[in-house]
Amino acid sequence: MMSAPGSSLIRLEQLCKSYTMGGQSFLALDHITLDVREGDFMAVVGPSGSGKSTLMNVLGCLDQPSSGTYYLDGVEVERLSDNKLATIRNQKIGFIFQQYHLLPKLRVIDNVELPLIYRGMSRRERRERTIEALQKVGLGDKLHHLPSQLSGGQQQRVAIARALAGQPPLLLADEPTGALDSRTSREVMALLQELGGEGNTIVLITHDPAVAAQARRVVRISDGRLTEEKGAVS
Amino acid sequence: MKLTQGLRMAWHSVYSQRMRTALTVLGMMIGIASVTIMVAIGNGTAEQVKSQMQGLGTNLLTVNVVGRGATTSISLEDAEALVDIEGVSASAPVITGNVTAKYKAATYSTSIAASTPSYAKVREYEVAQGRFIKEIDGAFAQKVAVIGSEVAEELELSDPVGEKLTLGGIPYTIVGVLAEKGSSSGGSNDNLVVVPIQTARVVLQTNAIRTLYVQAAGEQQVDSVQSALEFNLQRFFRNDENSYSVFNQADLLETVTAVSTSMSTMLTYVAGISLLVGGIGIMNMMLVSVTERTREIGIRKSLGAKRRDIMLQFLVEAALIGGLGGIAGAAAGAGGAGYAGKLMDSPASASTDIMLLAVAFSMGVGVLFGFLPARRASKLNPVDALRH
Ligand SMILES: Nc1ncnc2c1ncn2[C@@H]1O[C@H](COP(=O)(O)OP(=O)(O)OP(=O)(O)O)[C@@H](O)[C@H]1O
Ligand SMILES: [Mg+2]
């Protein structure tokens, strides 16, 4: 299913997202054209309200664009049915959220297993992959803890393990260090860098220039418009 | 997602909200228990009525002479004249009373029926030992008696035929024992002594006949026999309709059945309403649950849960709550039905069929009332849900 290394994983063409509020239409994403290649580690920076999360939601197939086209891994995804979008989220995207978004009543291992359950994977395979992913983020000894029994940095690592468990071609991280102090924030970034180094495609959203500096490529968004900053592939 | 996963998730969530679940289950339980009890009572009553009808005899008309005015009773000859109707297969005039039966040291107070040989036929008694009373016993006013099985037992008669007992102090010879028949509306059918009607004067100090059993040859003849009988009676009592009554067993049965049916229909409605309330309880709980878990739903959707996965999760949860309520309700209902049966002296009891049906039904109620909340959950927009 994966395309050859270096080929386009994400392709946005003239993509717009508008919100209508009080009868007034407002462009949160303004004709964005973007190409993300297989193996890219790209940061999206911009001030608050510039449209970063909106972009992430569209890229993550959580929300649909108002116009323009979006190819993910060779599939044109805009205007797909709800079910198909769910399948794409399940198989092609791993989300890492600012607030971790773990289910508080489930143990670490059950949280990480969730995407695999929705994929219909067998119990044994689920377990194997779950443990592997948790070991990768250094939490192989915390399988049976509840999220509330872990520190913020550990919870974010659980969330990363959950994103990794399904081995999706794309990792989407929205302010993954936003809720962490500077030390744990560095730990999490080191982990993401390691993942980036292993050839994972990562789109990282941040407003922190120090975090963005660790990405190989940086794009800036302001008022819904995108400009390249560093490491663009022409 | 597979059903087993849905079940695990549902159990997890139901278990983690024990108090709320318990209260919702209680609501459901009350509904199911009342349905189970009502159905059991309804079935029990129907059965009781049926067995009573079998206890009395079939196609039977009973004439009761109430006795007002000049004529307060009828004689044996009058009785014969009154039932000279086409379609009558047998008739038996009866004088009833209570006596103390004594055999050796044992005494037992029992009812006595002074009647004719036809009595066995109209009341459908079989003779287990010896014989029934005969015409000739009556013609010679023989002091012979046929006793019911209960009387034989109470008087500790091991081989009653030929033995002598006293009825109200008068010695009688036992010529037969009736086969056991069980109970009907009038109490035990086996607690009686039958003697020739001609000896009633000695033992009951009266020969005034106030009861006359008339058996029609078939179901179709019952109505025509009844009207002919009423005609004869009217003439006999000179148009004084208050002096007698004719009592049709089929009519009674119909009335009783109709009353018990409408009773149980009404009670079932009441039970159905409590079930509805239970269902609304489930719906309420699920709606609250969906609202509380909006973020969870958003997270699940972001991880690839399809609409039907979310739907399944919440439906299974609702069915689980319903099922738990059903099991608790069926158990409580079985207990309640047994107790009600005892109180009402009827064979009301909840069968396994009813209980299984109750559990399945309450799961269905869960699914039905869980549908709206589940659908609401499945339709949540993931972006909005995650913002919660
Ligand atoms: N559901 C919505 N309805 C209307 N307007 C919206 C909606 N979601 C976002 N917006 C608007 O779109 C713009 C971009 O929002 P977005 O959340 O993408 O910003 P952001 O770059 O992620 O900001 P932050 O750094 O604070 O997270 C904002 O002006 C916001 O008000
Ligand atoms: Mg944002």
Side-chain angles (χ1 to χ4, degrees):
Chain A
M1 177 98 72
M2 273 202 207
S3 32
S7 67
S8 263
L9 183 65
I10 292 174
R11 240 171 96 116
L12 303 183
E13 277 165 21
Q14 300 294 319
L15 188 125
C16 295
K17 176 73 186 175
S18 62
Y19 291 111
T20 319
M21 281 210 326
Q24 278 203 312
S25 178
F26 163 80
L27 265 188
L29 296 178
D30 188 357
H31 295 89
I32 288 186
T33 298
L34 175 70
D35 222 34
V36 180
R37 287 170 181 261
E38 192 88 19
D40 263 2
F41 183 1
M42 184 183 88
V44 179
V45 293
S48 182
S50 56
K52 302 185 297 290
S53 296
T54 307
L55 179 64
M56 150 120 166
N57 290 339
V58 171
L59 289 179
C61 298
L62 290 168
D63 209 351
Q64 286 178 293
S66 314
S67 68
T69 46
Y70 172 22
Y71 289 92
L72 174 62
D73 206 8
V75 183
E76 193 176 346
V77 299
E78 85 271 5
R79 294 187 235 301
L80 279 182
S81 75
D82 238 53
N83 259 348
K84 293 248 173 62
L85 288 175
T87 307
I88 287 175
R89 287 197 293 270
N90 184 245
Q91 301 187 342
K92 302 206 166 163
I93 298 160
F95 288 98
I96 301 157
F97 298 100
Q98 178 174 355
Q99 304 89 342
Y100 329 132
H101 281 336
L102 300 174
L103 296 186
K105 283 174 190 162
L106 297 189
R107 296 173 307 169
V108 162
I109 186 168
D110 301 322
N111 261 293
V112 174
E113 176 181 65
L114 275 177
L116 307 182
I117 286 178
Y118 290 122
R119 208 180 273 193
M121 205 176 264
S122 80
R123 197 184 165 80
R124 235 186 60 231
E125 203 179 349
R126 281 201 316 257
R127 223 185 146 72
E128 244 165 55
R129 290 237 207 154
T130 304
I131 291 172
E132 193 185 323
L134 277 165
Q135 276 166 349
K136 169 127 205 133
V137 301
L139 291 173
D141 56 338
K142 300 261 189 276
L143 303 182
H144 303 292
H145 284 58
L146 287 176
S148 57
Q149 295 164 328
L150 300 178
S151 74
Q154 285 170 331
Q155 289 186 52
Q156 191 57 296
R157 267 148 58 197
V158 173
I160 294 173
R162 182 178 64 187
L164 289 174
Q167 298 170 352
L170 175 64
L171 292 179
L172 283 179
D174 189 358
E175 307 269 12
T177 58
L180 302 174
D181 63 35
S182 55
R183 196 177 58 81
T184 40
S185 173
R186 273 198 299 279
E187 272 172 35
V188 166
M189 277 317 295
L191 180 58
L192 284 179
Q193 277 212 304
E194 186 191 326
L195 293 172
E198 286 167 10
N200 289 289
T201 313
I202 302 173
V203 173
L204 168 71
I205 285 167
T206 182
H207 64 268
D208 184 348
V211 168
Q214 299 181 49
R216 285 194 295 273
R217 179 184 169 197
V218 178
V219 293
R220 172 168 294 277
I221 189 167
S222 62
D223 293 333
R225 273 186 288 270
L226 201 74
T227 45
E228 287 290 342
E229 261 205 358
K230 149 190 158 187
V233 265
S234 47
Chain B
M1 188 175 68
K2 297 191 190 82
L3 190 62
T4 48
Q5 284 301 330
L7 258 174
R8 268 168 53 113
M9 281 177 196
W11 174 251
H12 205 97
S13 125
V14 160
Y15 184 78
S16 66
Q17 312 178 29
R18 278 170 297 248
M19 187 64 186
R20 195 193 289 176
T21 305
L23 288 174
T24 311
V25 163
L26 186 69
M28 205 55 206
M29 180 184 119
I30 291 169
I32 287 293
S34 46
V35 169
T36 314
I37 293 173
M38 290 317 146
V39 171
I41 289 178
N43 286 353
T45 311
E47 215 146 281
Q48 203 175 17
V49 168
K50 223 166 74 186
S51 79
Q52 282 174 8
M53 171 184 142
Q54 281 158 358
L56 279 175
T58 42
N59 306 326
L60 194 65
L61 295 167
T62 309
V63 177
N64 284 309
V65 178
V66 191
R68 240 180 252 159
T71 331
T72 58
S73 65
I74 53 177
S75 71
L76 206 52
E77 292 73 35
D78 298 336
E80 244 158 62
L82 282 169
V83 299
D84 185 15
I85 297 165
E86 197 176 328
V88 170
S89 66
S91 72
V94 195
I95 302 167
T96 53
N98 292 307
V99 288
T100 305
K102 225 181 228 173
Y103 173 73
K104 290 190 178 158
T107 62
Y108 187 55
S109 145
T110 181
S111 54
I112 182 167
S115 188
T116 61
S118 310
Y119 185 78
K121 179 156 193 287
V122 297
R123 294 298 314 275
E124 294 186 341
Y125 277 108
E126 303 276 338
V127 176
Q129 294 171 46
R131 62 173 179 85
F132 200 68
I133 54 172
K134 290 185 170 169
E135 285 295 346
I136 196 158
D137 298 327
F140 292 96
Q142 290 292 309
K143 296 203 190 64
V144 293
V146 178
I147 62 174
S149 56
E150 197 176 312
V151 177
E153 213 166 281
E154 290 293 334
L155 294 180
E156 291 163 25
L157 281 153
S158 52
D159 186 17
V161 177
E163 295 293 321
K164 273 195 161 38
L165 83 172
T166 65
L167 296 172
I170 316 291
Y172 270 79
T173 307
I174 300 170
V175 293
V177 181
L178 297 171
E180 197 173 322
K181 206 172 152 189
S183 297
S184 70
S185 58
S188 169
N189 285 311
D190 302 316
N191 179 17
L192 90 165
V193 176
V194 184
V195 299
I197 197 161
Q198 289 82 354
T199 69
R201 163 123 265 165
V202 225
V203 68
L204 288 168
Q205 280 90 46
T206 175
N207 56 4
I209 297 168
R210 293 216 166 82
T211 307
L212 177 61
Y213 288 118
V214 181
Q215 189 176 42
E219 217 179 307
Q220 275 77 37
Q221 278 97 318
V222 174
D223 286 343
S224 68
V225 168
Q226 182 170 5
S227 44
L229 192 59
E230 272 166 355
F231 179 79
N232 289 353
L233 283 162
Q234 201 175 3
R235 222 176 33 187
F236 182 83
F237 285 101
R238 303 203 175 78
N239 291 332
D240 185 3
E241 286 184 20
N242 289 327
S243 295
Y244 63 90
S245 65
V246 179
F247 181 83
N248 184 340
Q249 189 206 318
D251 287 353
L252 174 75
L253 186 70
E254 228 160 76
T255 314
V256 171
T257 311
V259 168
S260 83
T261 307
S262 64
M263 263 284 273
S264 68
T265 308
M266 201 188 72
L267 291 173
T268 307
Y269 279 133
V270 173
I273 288 169
S274 56
L275 206 57
L276 181 76
V277 173
I280 291 171
I282 290 183
M283 174 137 67
N284 183 44
M285 170 169 171
M286 295 310 295
L287 281 174
V288 170
S289 181
V290 168
T291 310
E292 277 179 356
R293 286 151 71 189
T294 302
R295 196 158 108 137
E296 173 188 332
I297 294 162
I299 294 170
R300 287 182 184 277
K301 285 201 153 188
S302 78
L303 298 178
K306 297 189 171 81
R307 273 190 189 173
R308 73 172 121 88
D309 294 327
I310 301 293
M311 190 89 186
L312 182 72
Q313 181 186 348
F314 282 89
L315 276 186
V316 169
E317 201 169 313
L320 183 65
I321 295 168
L324 286 175
I327 292 169
Y339 185 67
K342 246 185 231 158
L343 270 184
M344 298 167 53
D345 195 26
S346 94
S349 68
S351 65
T352 354
D353 286 6
I354 296 175
M355 282 162 65
L356 284 179
L357 195 72
V359 174
F361 187 73
S362 50
M363 285 177 78
V365 169
V367 170
L368 189 72
F369 284 88
F371 189 80
L372 184 86
R375 213 171 69 125
R376 177 174 291 186
S378 77
K379 286 204 163 163
L380 282 175
N381 172 315
V383 178
D384 296 339
L386 279 173
R387 239 195 291 265
H388 255 255

